[in-house]
Amino acid sequence: MIETEVPRKNKASFEKLIKVIRQRNYKKATEYTYLRYNLDFLLFADKPAEKVVTKDIEKYIEHLRKKKVSSSTIQINISSLKMFFEEVLDMNVFQDFRRPAREYKTPKVLSQKEISILLDSASESNRSHLLCALAYFGGLRVGEIIRLKWGQFDLTKKTIKVDSPIPTQNRIVFMDSELQKVLKKFEKEVGTEKSAFLFPGKYEGTHLTSRNVERLVGDLAKTAGIKTQVTLFTLRHSRAIHQLAEGKSLEDIRDFLGHKSLATTESYLPIRKNLRPQVRQKHIQDALKEIKRKYKY
């Protein structure tokens, strides 16, 4: 729950927000985010929520910009406030509000050398090694990795049946020799009961949380001497870029990553999104040439 006290003038409206969020059964992290961002805004506005106007929202967003809050965090703030004012309080303060455009940054790509150093550092623990190998060699998302059970592996066919949190992203992933080696070492250590999670959590029947996994990977990268911030997505993204450098098509990468649309895969390339189709295609080809030049073995 939020540790900051809610101002008396907003206690009633904030209680309504809490009730709606609890009814929707959000994850604890999502619940905290919605409550935290709305409370921060109410403290900034310093007035009852029922008296908030569009200008108050605009001033707050400008305040966040001056604090150099990231574009993605600003977007989440706006979504949190919209939910509170439109759905809980039935107010139309966003009717004349112009939502700022989201800024996209091309994700960091590790070189093959950096990946080798990271995997070598991770190999001191079979569990850490497999976590990184599934993200890099398997192209799996963090949510897909932590939910993996031994029954999803077919060691004869050398495949993983990936059950994504988003059903349209379910797919079969073929394991290359590197991933198979790491998996077999881990298998010898822990066993392979089909209904068991690969990475069990603290309590029976649970799995590791994404937060714990990301912290582990970040610490591994620091230990390996990699200066940039590294997440499991960094490994997944790096693998996609390395495959493009090796000559794989965008369609192949789309299937490997489990993207529903080719446009999602194209967004991994360092190109602007709002270009005319013909200009965009030229930018894509230029980006692919640069990737091959920079990352080819």
Side-chain angles (χ1 to χ4, degrees):
M1 190 57 185
I2 303 299
E3 53 280 349
T4 309
E5 188 176 349
V6 179
R8 184 183 299 175
K9 57 196 164 199
N10 283 305
K11 278 190 180 293
S13 59
F14 208 75
E15 285 298 325
K16 288 181 186 177
L17 175 62
I18 293 172
K19 186 177 179 181
V20 170
I21 287 176
R22 297 272 165 83
Q23 286 173 344
R24 296 185 181 186
N25 199 28
Y26 287 143
K27 291 180 182 177
K28 288 292 181 187
T30 306
E31 177 181 317
Y32 179 86
T33 298
Y34 273 63
L35 295 176
R36 176 76 264 167
Y37 287 171
N38 275 292
L39 180 54
D40 286 348
F41 167 74
L42 291 172
L43 291 170
F44 174 84
D46 193 26
K47 62 168 66 173
E50 293 78 7
K51 294 188 177 180
V52 165
V53 294
T54 305
K55 199 160 192 67
D56 295 318
I57 306 283
E58 292 170 343
K59 284 180 181 177
Y60 183 61
I61 299 306
E62 186 57 33
H63 163 71
L64 294 179
R65 280 183 176 144
K66 286 179 180 176
K67 286 177 64 180
K68 301 195 181 303
V69 171
S70 71
S71 170
S72 58
T73 300
I74 288 175
Q75 294 294 333
I76 297 169
N77 266 274
I78 293 170
S79 296
S80 301
L81 294 174
K82 274 178 70 68
M83 186 263 202
F84 181 35
F85 286 100
E86 292 186 345
E87 300 178 40
V88 177
L89 299 182
D90 196 25
M91 294 169 62
N92 64 352
V93 291
F94 281 89
Q95 185 174 345
D96 298 320
F97 176 78
R98 293 188 64 183
R99 190 172 191 134
R102 184 186 290 270
E103 297 171 10
Y104 291 89
K105 293 182 180 178
T106 305
K108 168 72 177 174
V109 182
L110 299 182
S111 67
Q112 281 93 349
K113 183 178 179 181
E114 287 173 318
I115 290 290
S116 296
I117 292 170
L118 178 61
L119 290 173
D120 187 53
S121 176
S123 65
E124 294 182 16
S125 158
N126 288 333
R127 185 183 73 161
S128 299
H129 201 191
L130 183 57
L131 281 166
C132 293
L134 285 165
Y136 183 70
F137 295 114
L140 272 63
R141 302 172 177 88
V142 62
E144 295 167 345
I145 291 173
I146 60 177
R147 290 174 177 81
L148 278 174
K149 294 183 176 180
W150 283 105
Q152 292 171 241
F153 289 83
D154 188 326
L155 298 178
T156 304
K157 294 181 180 176
K158 302 172 184 176
T159 59
I160 311 171
K161 184 177 179 289
V162 179
D163 292 330
S164 175
I166 302 172
T168 56
Q169 294 171 349
N170 292 345
R171 63 198 183 282
I172 300 294
V173 171
F174 289 91
M175 294 187 285
D176 66 9
S177 58
E178 289 298 322
L179 180 51
Q180 289 174 59
K181 279 186 216 172
V182 180
L183 179 66
K184 284 175 182 175
K185 283 170 67 178
F186 188 63
E187 178 191 0
K188 286 179 183 176
E189 180 183 317
V190 301
T192 59
E193 185 183 337
K194 285 192 174 183
S195 61
F197 286 113
L198 256 71
F199 308 109
K202 186 176 179 181
Y203 302 105
E204 188 176 348
T206 65
H207 53 68
L208 279 181
T209 65
S210 57
R211 184 175 296 180
N212 285 338
V213 171
E214 294 292 18
R215 188 183 298 122
L216 183 151
V217 174
D219 290 344
L220 279 172
K222 287 177 185 174
T223 302
I226 297 171
K227 303 297 183 186
T228 188
Q229 182 181 6
V230 175
T231 66
L232 280 180
F233 179 74
T234 311
L235 303 184
R236 170 177 153 92
H237 176 66
S238 297
R239 177 63 167 171
I241 296 300
H242 295 165
Q243 286 185 328
L244 288 171
E246 293 163 11
K248 290 282 182 72
S249 69
L250 279 167
E251 288 79 8
D252 287 337
I253 306 299
R254 174 196 61 196
D255 296 340
F256 173 71
L257 296 174
H259 291 159
K260 186 177 178 181
S261 166
L262 189 61
T264 305
T265 313
E266 288 176 356
S267 70
Y268 278 45
L269 305 178
I271 56 172
R272 285 171 51 199
K273 295 178 176 294
N274 57 345
L275 301 172
R276 296 194 316 274
Q278 285 183 322
V279 177
R280 182 175 172 79
Q281 281 305 314
K282 183 179 185 311
H283 275 238
I284 288 172
Q285 294 308 315
D286 289 344
L288 290 172
K289 284 178 186 175
E290 178 61 17
I291 286 169
K292 286 178 183 177
R293 183 196 67 77
K294 191 171 181 181
Y295 295 104
K296 194 169 182 179
Y297 286 104

